[in-house]
Amino acid sequence: MTLVLRELHPGFAHAVLDLDLSAPLPDGTVAALREAMDAYGVLVFRDQHLDDEGQIAFAQHFGPPERYVLSYRPGIKLRLGRAEMVDVSNLDATTGQPQDRGARHRMVNLGNRLWHTDSSFKQVRGALSMLYAHAVPPSGGETEFGDGRAGYDRLPEAVKQQIAGLKAQHSLMHSRAILGFTDFTPEEHAALPPAVHPLVSVNPRTGRKSVYVASHASHVLDMPVAEGRLLIGELIEAATHPDLVYWHAWRVGDLVVWDNRCTLHRGMPFDESYPRDLRRVTTSDVGGLALVE
Ligand code: OGA
Ligand code: MN
């Protein structure tokens, strides 16, 4: 199976052409896609026709989908019926209309405007995220992707040596606290304890290293907090240098897949009186090599 690819950003994001993800995948497609993910970190599939079931089924080829982390708050009404679907939209679960400015779902999702990696705050971190567009605003609301591998490659040798073996603590609550949002119950804190991960990720298939930090990273272990935060900031900056960033302008029917273990991303602002309905499925990094063909 040979994929038809088009480069969107040098050495980084590529579009996959001529593949209908709602139809049964030709033999070898999953293996070819995995290879392309290893090579490019971000893949874009345009003009797709996926419902929630189809999106989840596609994700399952690559590993077990995570379950939505904010569904543990008792009584919370979710707009989407499946725990595997993360609602990245600006829509109210009851009315289906753009939500109020102060809505809790909006407050939590505003954290997506900071450079981050999905689910780095979990013990078993997020692997591939797959975000699909059902409705997009007329302008704005793009998603930016930074290349953690190219960011790592560019680090001064002394910094590479400094960060080898270092670990950071990640927590969802930390990235939300950066924006001043701290409305989490003790139960929510208990359900999402911080996780510790190395500052550097390695893809065992390609040997390529990547910085693995994000807004969820609160501090570096065995280092004064302030010093660790400066280091985290420096690594995020390296991976998101403007010439390493792929900027995705959404169209309805786009599916964008990224590897959270070697990329960072953030959402851009838009006029929130327009619906923006994006839905995400993220696979768990089980064993680091999950693949089900
Ligand atoms: C996400 C995310 C950014 C955006 O779905 O994980 O961070 O542009 N989205 O909505
Ligand atoms: Mn995200």
Side-chain angles (χ1 to χ4, degrees):
M1 167 73 193
T2 307
L3 299 172
V4 186
L5 298 171
R6 185 164 58 83
E7 185 179 85
L8 299 172
H9 193 93
F12 190 33
H14 275 59
V16 182
L17 311 178
D18 301 333
L19 203 54
D20 175 0
L21 301 179
S22 67
L25 298 175
D27 281 353
T29 304
V30 173
L33 288 173
R34 186 176 68 155
E35 234 173 80
M37 282 305 302
D38 282 343
Y40 304 121
V42 179
L43 294 179
V44 173
F45 305 79
R46 295 211 116 138
D47 303 315
Q48 299 299 318
H49 301 278
L50 289 171
D51 56 15
D52 291 356
E53 294 304 314
Q55 188 179 344
I56 292 168
F58 177 66
Q60 279 168 337
H61 288 296
F62 299 89
E66 294 184 339
R67 300 179 76 80
Y68 191 28
V69 289
L70 291 178
S71 53
Y72 47 79
R73 183 176 261 211
I76 195 170
K77 180 168 165 42
L78 296 178
R79 192 174 65 92
L80 308 175
R82 296 282 303 255
E84 296 92 336
M85 291 306 274
V86 181
D87 186 3
V88 187
S89 81
N90 66 332
L91 302 177
D92 182 273
T94 304
T95 66
Q97 298 300 310
Q99 61 207 347
D100 295 339
R101 194 168 191 178
R104 187 168 196 278
H105 178 249
R106 176 170 186 265
M107 289 302 125
V108 174
N109 273 354
L110 277 179
N112 287 343
R113 303 261 176 100
L114 304 173
W115 284 113
H116 67 282
T117 53
D118 292 333
S119 296
S120 64
F121 48 79
K122 291 187 173 180
Q123 314 297 327
V124 180
R125 62 186 181 160
L128 304 185
S129 279
M130 311 190 177
L131 187 60
Y132 183 68
H134 290 262
V136 299
S139 63
E142 302 86 358
T143 306
E144 294 190 328
F145 296 90
D147 188 345
R149 305 160 310 167
Y152 177 86
D153 291 345
R154 286 183 180 185
L155 293 174
E157 205 51 45
V159 177
K160 286 182 184 166
Q161 281 174 20
Q162 182 197 8
I163 62 179
L166 289 181
K167 294 178 175 172
Q169 178 168 305
H170 299 244
S171 148
L172 176 79
M173 283 68 184
H174 176 73
S175 57
R176 274 48 193 169
I178 290 174
L179 295 182
F181 183 78
T182 55
D183 175 22
F184 292 104
T185 62
E187 291 74 24
E188 286 170 322
H189 279 281
L192 273 182
V196 170
H197 299 293
L199 283 180
V200 179
S201 258
V202 186
N203 181 326
R205 292 178 294 268
T206 63
R208 271 197 94 176
K209 291 182 177 169
S210 169
V211 300
Y212 185 67
V213 283
S215 53
H216 305 309
S218 58
H219 61 278
V220 177
L221 272 52
D222 304 322
M223 190 182 272
V225 171
E227 208 179 320
R229 281 194 190 169
L230 288 168
L231 179 58
I232 289 164
E234 184 183 339
L235 299 178
I236 293 177
E237 214 167 284
T240 60
H241 190 275
D243 68 357
L244 295 185
V245 170
Y246 166 65
W247 187 86
H248 186 74
W250 289 94
R251 293 194 323 221
V252 170
D254 286 353
L255 179 79
V256 180
V257 181
W258 64 88
D259 190 334
N260 287 293
R261 299 161 296 192
C262 65
T263 62
L264 285 83
H265 64 280
R266 67 174 175 186
M268 303 306 280
F270 62 102
D271 179 345
E272 293 180 53
S273 65
Y274 291 100
R276 181 179 189 262
D277 186 357
L278 267 55
R279 307 180 188 182
R280 169 161 61 77
V281 179
T282 295
T283 64
S284 279
D285 190 26
V286 179
L289 273 173
L291 172 70
V292 187
E293 181 119 40

